[in-house]
Amino acid sequence: MYGVSRFLLLAFFSLASAAILKADPLGLVLPTKNTAIFSSDPSKFYMYTNRNFEGVNSKPWEGGTYGFSRNGKRTSIGIVNTRLHEGIDIKPVSRDSSGNPLDSVRAISRGTVVYVNSTSSHSNYGKYIVVHHDWGDGPFFSLYAHLSSASIKTGQKVNAGDTIAKMGYTGAGIDRTRAHVHVELNMLMSDRFQSWYDRHFTSKNNHGIFNGFNLSGLDIAALFKMHKANPNISIPEFLANHEEPYYKVGVPKNGKLDIIRRYPWLGRNMNKALGAKSWEFTFARNGIPLSVSPSSKSLKYPAVTWVKSMQTNHSYMTVSRISGTGSSASLTASGSRYIQLISEGF
Ligand SMILES: [Zn+2]
């Protein structure tokens, strides 16, 4: 009897602790006091952009949303927004008498500050902060840009909701009226970013691996909403539910892929990796990798192996990483550079 009840008690506690570990692994909170992302009026949450489309000026709040929300182009399938906004632009909720925003910017989850850019002229982001989050599925990085000032230092640990900065309007294409915080949640493309950068650019990289080119932004707005509905969600579950495959790229296999070491959940059929000749990456429109599988196909160079059929140029749909129409496509120069970075083929 004693033995049985002790067993039951142990079983109960291990179940309870498993439940505690699993509940809200991301622990997300909004980065400012502005909570209108969950309201029926998103225009109170997003800072508008100044749009000029075919000579008509407007200030659409949609320009501040994540995704293909900018640079509309008239195509055979209608107007397509060709520019990807990799984060969200959040409006201030309070300003001083001169119109300067007063909002505090807070960490969206527990983590460690890994980078602070305090020289606004060094980046289009102006002054920005990067926080590393370890949620058990590889490293993710939240980024907070156009800050007035940072109130934390590199190496500092933060909790969800801790103030890290003051909202501002530093960086390119932004002024006091449009002051906002631009917030991203990123995957890291390469730990050896500097050698890729040196191959393609002559200017100085001031930001180490936390250069915008090395960070690919997830749909953070959709993540906030999905997390509110289901606080147990993980990033791989979020991507599987939210993102749709748009194209696949085969890459010659030269050993292991560092991105799979970093994000093991990307790997599919990895038991077949040993004899494989190439890797096949699946990407969403925004360039986020959704999976990687070993393939028996021999390839000399990276090449598009599949694309979703579309009756307009794929370059409009993929930030010009691939081009072509219908069900055929090929990598552009910028697409090749992106594949080179993500597969460390440099
Ligand atoms: Zn932005």
Side-chain angles (χ1 to χ4, degrees):
M1 190 64 193
Y2 170 77
V4 168
S5 61
R6 191 175 57 172
F7 170 77
L8 284 174
L9 208 63
L10 277 173
F12 172 77
F13 278 115
S14 56
L15 274 174
S17 64
I20 289 163
L21 282 176
K22 213 181 169 249
D24 200 358
L26 305 185
L28 290 182
V29 298
L30 289 172
T32 75
K33 269 191 184 152
N34 192 335
T35 57
I37 188 174
F38 301 128
S39 78
S40 55
D41 185 2
S43 71
K44 291 199 168 80
F45 185 76
Y46 292 108
M47 177 52 76
Y48 64 84
T49 47
N50 290 309
R51 180 175 289 172
N52 178 306
F53 183 66
E54 296 177 341
V56 180
N57 290 313
S58 62
K59 296 181 186 301
W61 62 265
E62 290 89 342
T65 61
Y66 174 92
F68 289 84
S69 56
R70 297 175 179 189
N71 297 28
K73 190 174 174 64
R74 204 175 284 281
T75 79
S76 53
I77 58 161
I79 296 164
V80 173
N81 284 322
T82 55
R83 186 164 157 208
L84 177 66
H85 183 224
E86 290 196 68
I88 49 178
D89 292 348
I90 308 173
K91 260 185 180 171
V93 293
S94 51
R95 294 183 186 251
D96 68 14
S97 53
S98 326
N100 294 306
L102 293 170
D103 302 47
S104 295
V105 175
R106 307 140 161 187
I108 60 162
S109 176
R110 67 192 178 278
T112 307
V113 178
V114 285
Y115 186 64
V116 179
N117 173 44
S118 332
T119 312
S120 56
S121 61
H122 281 176
S123 172
N124 290 345
Y125 286 138
K127 295 181 184 175
Y128 73 95
I129 294 173
V130 180
V131 179
H132 167 228
H133 307 285
D134 180 3
W135 295 314
D137 288 311
F140 289 88
F141 299 88
S142 56
L143 181 150
Y144 312 80
H146 309 312
L147 305 171
S148 164
S149 59
S151 49
I152 39 78
K153 290 193 169 68
T154 301
Q156 209 169 310
K157 295 237 184 312
V158 290
N159 279 312
D162 282 358
T163 294
I164 55 172
K166 204 171 151 196
M167 196 187 281
Y169 44 94
T170 59
I174 178 167
D175 57 18
R176 183 154 49 196
T177 323
R178 283 188 63 250
H180 63 263
V181 63
H182 167 100
V183 182
E184 299 179 359
L185 181 62
N186 295 291
M187 290 174 77
L188 186 79
M189 297 294 98
S190 172
D191 283 329
R192 298 194 296 119
F193 175 74
Q194 189 63 48
S195 38
W196 177 87
Y197 187 91
D198 290 340
R199 220 178 220 237
H200 301 291
F201 299 91
T202 49
S203 56
K204 188 174 186 291
N205 166 31
N206 290 301
H207 314 293
I209 61 168
F210 302 111
N211 186 304
F213 283 118
N214 199 28
L215 300 167
S216 278
L218 311 178
D219 187 345
I220 186 171
L223 180 65
F224 272 121
K225 287 176 191 165
M226 228 178 249
H227 173 264
K228 190 166 194 259
N230 170 20
N232 290 330
I233 198 157
S234 69
I235 298 282
E237 283 164 356
F238 164 70
L239 290 176
N241 282 310
H242 180 66
E243 294 292 355
E244 194 191 332
Y246 190 94
Y247 61 102
K248 297 186 182 193
V249 177
V251 178
K253 182 171 171 253
N254 298 306
K256 287 183 179 166
L257 279 180
D258 206 44
I259 195 142
I260 296 185
R261 179 192 57 75
R262 196 153 51 248
Y263 304 110
W265 47 270
L266 279 175
R268 302 281 189 283
N269 305 317
M270 293 306 285
N271 56 325
K272 296 191 177 119
L274 205 59
K277 299 234 164 52
S278 59
W279 299 107
E280 189 173 56
F281 283 76
T282 301
F283 292 100
R285 264 187 82 185
N286 54 13
I288 294 291
L290 301 178
S291 65
V292 183
S293 344
S295 160
S296 55
K297 200 179 284 179
S298 248
L299 290 168
K300 271 211 172 86
Y301 305 103
V304 176
T305 51
W306 173 84
V307 66
K308 184 181 168 170
S309 185
M310 191 62 61
Q311 291 317 308
T312 188
N313 201 306
H314 293 298
S315 66
Y316 304 144
M317 309 296 289
T318 62
V319 245
S320 299
R321 288 198 175 114
I322 60 172
S323 67
T325 44
S327 50
S328 80
S330 53
L331 286 166
T332 62
S334 90
S336 298
R337 286 196 294 273
Y338 188 66
I339 296 299
Q340 198 185 66
L341 177 64
I342 196 170
S343 64
E344 301 210 308
F346 54 87

